[in-house]
Amino acid sequence: MKKTMRIIAILACMILALVGSAYAQGDVSPDFSHHPPHVCEYLTKHYPYALSTYIEFGIPISLTLAVGAYESAYGKSYAAKEKCNFFGLVKGQMPFNNMSQCYRFWGYLLSTERYQKIHRLPHTNWRMWCHSLAYLGYNPRDTYGDSLIEVIEYLELYKLDLKHEEYE
């Protein structure tokens, strides 16, 4: 089963690589094939939800993907697999029926009064979004903001925010 999933992830990444030029025109998802297969699979599957969360709630795509990847171990955590909870919400105890529901709740949560100050930042200032999310108490770890920044830089997710400036 693991081998089959890995092959599917690799094939999906290869297909995305073939249509990479269409992404430049805004027609398809970005090419994540240069990442390890499990990362490529996660980003390919979650990118459309992160984009819709950005469009609806104004949360940077890079931040949404980084928090989801970090909190769910790229979709491999128990909460992600069994409860469709990719953001570590309520210590992983909050179950969702599907990914769309999880991402909409994430967007709604970051639109509540507790996180309103963060929305004053430009979406391309992803470093400040990371630090602000940590400062406002999303995760109690002292290094949470820095950890998110590392994920965004390593995966070059900031490029997705620049690509979608037209929605701002």
Side-chain angles (χ1 to χ4, degrees):
M1 180 69 173
K2 270 187 170 180
K3 193 172 186 177
T4 303
M5 293 305 291
R6 185 177 208 106
I7 291 170
I8 291 171
I10 291 169
L11 288 174
C13 289
M14 290 171 55
I15 290 169
L16 281 174
L18 292 173
V19 295
S21 62
Y23 168 68
Q25 301 166 10
D27 297 333
V28 296
S29 294
D31 175 16
F32 299 117
S33 64
H34 58 286
H35 296 300
H38 73 285
V39 175
C40 178
E41 179 184 6
Y42 176 84
L43 294 174
T44 301
K45 186 176 181 181
H46 290 256
Y47 169 76
Y49 297 99
L51 176 60
S52 66
T53 301
Y54 169 62
I55 293 168
E56 185 173 354
F57 297 100
I59 301 165
I61 297 165
S62 62
L63 181 75
T64 299
L65 289 172
V67 171
Y70 183 84
E71 295 286 348
S72 74
Y74 295 97
K76 303 297 183 199
S77 71
Y78 171 81
K81 289 180 182 178
E82 300 297 321
K83 299 183 180 200
C84 206
N85 184 337
F86 297 93
F87 297 101
L89 302 167
V90 192
K91 296 184 181 179
Q93 298 304 309
M94 183 175 280
F96 295 99
N97 294 324
N98 53 51
M99 286 176 54
S100 180
Q101 187 182 49
C102 179
Y103 274 79
R104 284 190 51 80
F105 185 83
W106 155 255
Y108 167 76
L109 177 68
L110 265 60
S111 298
T112 60
E113 186 176 338
R114 178 179 186 173
Y115 298 103
Q116 275 304 303
K117 292 179 184 176
I118 203 170
H119 287 274
R120 295 183 189 139
L121 300 168
H123 81 276
T124 53
N125 193 346
W126 49 271
R127 284 184 180 91
M128 281 304 299
W129 275 79
C130 291
H131 286 301
S132 297
L133 187 64
Y135 177 77
L136 295 171
Y138 185 81
N139 184 304
R141 288 186 56 234
D142 291 342
T143 59
Y144 190 66
D146 292 328
S147 296
L148 295 178
I149 289 170
E150 285 178 22
V151 171
I152 291 171
E153 288 177 341
Y154 173 72
L155 299 176
E156 299 178 331
L157 298 175
Y158 54 84
K159 292 179 179 179
L160 300 174
D161 298 328
L162 297 174
K163 165 74 176 128
H164 294 288
E165 284 183 290
E166 68 269 15
Y167 292 110
E168 194 161 281

